[in-house]
Amino acid sequence: MTATLPAHSGHVVPEVESAPPPGTSWVGRSVRRKEDRPLVTGTGTYVADIELPGMLEVAMLRSGVAHARIVSIDTSAAESLPGVHAVITGTDIADAVKPFSRFVDQEHTPPGLAEAASPVTLPCDIEVLPVDRVRYVGQAIAAVIATDRYVAEDALGLIEVEYSDLPVIVDPEEAIADGAPLLHEDIPRNTQAYFEVEAGDVTAAFAKATHTDSFRFTTQRQAGVPMETRGVVATFDRVADELQVWSSTQAPFMVRTRICEQLDVPEHKVRVTAPDVGGGFGPKVQVYPEEVLMAHLALTYRIPLRWIEDRLEHLTSTAHSRDQIHFVDVAYEPDGTVVAVDDRFLLDCGAYNPFSITCAYNSAAHFRSLYQVPHFRSRGECVLTNKTPNVPYRGAGRPEAIFAMDRLVVEIARKLGLDPVEVMRRNLVPVEDMPCSRGMPYRDGNEIVYDAVDFPSAFDKALAAVDYERHKHDQQALRERGVWRGIGVGTYVEGTGIGPFEGAQVELTPAGVVLVGAGSAPHGQSHRTTLAQIACDELGTHIDQVIVRAGDTAVVPYGCGTFASRSAVTAGSAVLVASRRLRERIVAIAATILGAPRETLELADSTVFVADEPDRMVTFAQIAAAAAPGPHSQVPKDFEAGIKETYYFVPPTVTFGYGFQVAEVEVDVETGFVDLKNMVIVHDCGRIIHPQIVDGQIQGGVAQGIGAALYEQLVYDPQGQPQTTTFMDYLLPTMNDIPVAHQIHLETPSERNPLGVKGVGEAGTISPPAAIANAVVDALAPLGVSIDRLPVTPFSVHQAIERARTA
């Protein structure tokens, strides 16, 4: 019997998953995903699906001005509306709810990073609801609790707010200019964080170089745009004396920590659960004022409450991403070899900077990509403006840097009259230099050292897959027929699997089922499948006998979350080690039951048996019963009672995935329209746990990378008013715009974790902007068109063509 749901690759998925042949493993197989059935049949449970008895709805009043003093807020008319339970302002909660004051990368700077980059981060607290000042359009300034959302929304319209306007700044270059008004009085020059890091001797390299040049590259502001917007349900359980919060978050442990700190509630009284989450992509790693506010309101009113963000709120209030300007000086030789790069860049953080130097330093750490560039300096400034705050989004600082570096190499080739692909090849780190130290630390303070891999060989595989030589041969003939076709290459290297740790708990239940708990929270990564595969290989059981639970602070004592391409590395390794330890416990108890030496026992099909006497066996269920304390316990003296193991994996540093993406485009020179014909990807994410899931991760990342390259852009007017607040204005690529990427998988196991894996979640997103921009430049090479900003829209391409024709 077969299921009716097709797998990603198009084959029919078996209803019953067969065990791997003897001597092989579950890891490495595209098994039937355990997540799919409830999601594709519409029976999943998202925050908006949670209904509690007596639950009321919450709506947020948001600022309609970008920068102003709050003179007064009159809530009387809203409070008198039938169905309104309460209206809450910043003044109402000021004494009970602390502001956000601790942020990522501010709590502890690793010594290696502090010494090399001297990062400075100035305090910049975020009020849950502001009392006297708003700093961006979309900032929540009041909340209404009502019988339903319709009444709550009506009440919002009755709240009268009097503002006193303040100067608005939306341009980061203007924000750091002398005399610019300050968003926060104690942050001079509107620069909340900055650093400077150098590898080699940049000044000396420029003095000796044959050629030098300068460029400016701009990457636009984007939104994460998951299918599910944010949402929170909060209730106080009087019986358990516990606050229960459900949030559409990537990091429930972080949400719990912030709630407890800002409300002065002990952690054992707060449980945070991420149910089914319809995408996150980075912005849902941030802990938001709404999450803390909803917790406070549930504790205060002792009523179940629900808040669901609408799409307008998402595009204006959920944190944005990208938005960098790079000013790059480069020194190079006549053959195109890049000797030195000096990069100064601004990251527009919006009104607050919750992630300190995270994205900015990611840009610095990855700027050189797969190229040698022996001398490199990066100076990053995190600048505050009157826009929505900026946080990591899939790729987190890497696409911005890669766009600048790959465009830089191509521009050097054009200036020298050389083939860009050949100049790229000349600059790649050669295989004989592997493993390769980059002369600077990663964000975790450890030295950046690329794994022992072969960049040139992978590069040649990517070019062969698109038949690059044939393309160059045919290109001129196509132009004569009016077909302006181009091929562009984008590179990437990505630090994946960052710490500080991840937790896992593996337990054998009385039914003989293996229960796996993980601290990371899935939102599309298939934890239930991949973590089960890892446990199956260690414990000799069938994947249908493994249940994975994640996204709940009650599952393991400590956890981090799912972000930064880290779950397979950190959570996977934690599950692996915990499963190995549980295996030792299972074998020890089975040895006592069977009266056999432990070394003679093997595990298969949820049983333990004597290798030479397979009929002499005991089931997992029997072992679980024997592990219980009491008169029937058969636990050896060197073990405590119970059949559970917990492990926290602390990575020594990040692993480095890498790859190349090649884009093939055709450009309409009359309209500037770019038709993306083909994408080829060669990538290395170490050992692959589930090939089909890796395919999906790459393809999904490519879709978002295409959006960044050609469509998506958040725009503000000079008064700080967002102009792209619906999908009529904020354009997303559709199925018609996204080719199925041809993927070539490389598997170079990492030595930095016991699984040998590298992260892959962000890999597909990083290179498309660079690859597509380079392809457009290649297509229009006879016109001398250059591209230095994203997105590459028909209007911008047409303008570039007209400028080139005029010149």
Side-chain angles (χ1 to χ4, degrees), residues 710-725:
L710 297 173
Y711 301 98
E712 300 179 46
Q713 183 175 21
L714 289 161
V715 177
Y716 283 77
D717 72 9
Q719 288 72 48
Q721 291 292 333
Q723 304 297 293
T724 44
T725 58

Side-chain angles (χ1 to χ4, degrees), residues 508-509 582 585-586 589-590 593 620-630 632-636 639-644:
L508 194 58
T509 71
L582 183 64
R585 183 176 289 271
I586 289 171
I589 297 172
I593 297 172
F620 276 11
Q622 292 170 320
I623 293 170
H632 302 292
S633 176
Q634 298 189 60
V635 177
F639 284 90
E640 294 180 355
I643 197 77
K644 179 194 305 183

Side-chain angles (χ1 to χ4, degrees), residues 355-591:
F355 276 75
S356 184
I357 65 167
T358 298
C359 290
Y361 196 81
N362 275 355
S363 292
H366 297 85
F367 192 97
R368 288 177 287 174
S369 189
L370 308 181
Y371 305 114
Q372 299 178 69
V373 192
H375 306 281
F376 172 69
R377 180 163 55 215
S378 179
R379 291 165 287 170
E381 295 184 62
C382 299
V383 181
L384 302 177
T385 63
N386 293 116
K387 297 177 184 174
T388 302
N390 193 317
V391 302
Y393 165 49
R394 199 173 191 175
R398 301 171 184 92
E400 302 95 306
I402 297 304
F403 173 72
M405 186 67 210
D406 282 341
R407 287 293 303 117
L408 183 74
V409 173
V410 169
E411 288 304 308
I412 288 172
R414 293 178 62 196
K415 287 176 178 290
L416 295 172
L418 301 173
D419 182 354
V421 163
E422 183 55 36
V423 173
M424 281 186 164
R425 181 184 282 107
R426 289 174 187 171
N427 281 286
L428 293 175
V429 177
V431 67
E432 57 267 23
D433 286 355
M434 292 293 182
C436 176
S437 171
R438 304 300 274 162
M440 60 183 286
Y442 197 71
R443 222 174 71 234
D444 60 7
N446 294 293
E447 184 180 12
I448 297 174
V449 179
Y450 292 171
D451 305 66
V453 291
D454 188 346
F455 294 162
S457 175
F459 186 60
D460 289 340
K461 286 182 172 65
L463 295 176
V466 294
D467 199 351
Y468 181 74
E469 292 303 322
R470 182 177 179 84
H471 160 76
K472 299 305 292 184
H473 179 270
D474 294 346
Q475 194 173 37
Q476 183 55 39
L478 289 169
R479 286 183 185 134
E480 292 172 358
R481 289 165 32 203
V483 179
W484 296 73
R485 183 177 298 170
I487 283 182
V489 180
T491 65
Y492 83 88
V493 65
E494 182 193 7
T496 67
I498 196 168
F501 72 91
E502 196 55 84
Q505 195 170 79
V506 185
E507 178 181 3
L508 194 58
T509 71
V513 172
V514 175
L515 188 62
V516 175
S520 61
H523 49 281
Q525 292 80 10
S526 305
H527 286 42
R528 293 178 187 172
T529 302
T530 54
L531 299 184
Q533 289 176 271
I534 295 167
C536 283
D537 280 345
E538 296 302 317
L539 297 174
T541 189
H542 193 281
I543 197 166
D544 289 340
Q545 294 299 108
V546 178
I547 298 172
V548 175
R549 293 177 178 172
D552 189 338
T553 59
V555 167
V556 292
Y558 306 100
C560 284
T562 296
F563 50 89
S565 302
R566 70 186 302 272
S567 288
V569 176
T570 57
S573 295
V575 169
L576 177 74
V577 176
S579 298
R580 285 178 178 173
R581 292 184 174 183
L582 183 64
R583 179 188 179 102
E584 293 176 5
R585 183 176 289 271
I586 289 171
V587 168
I589 297 172

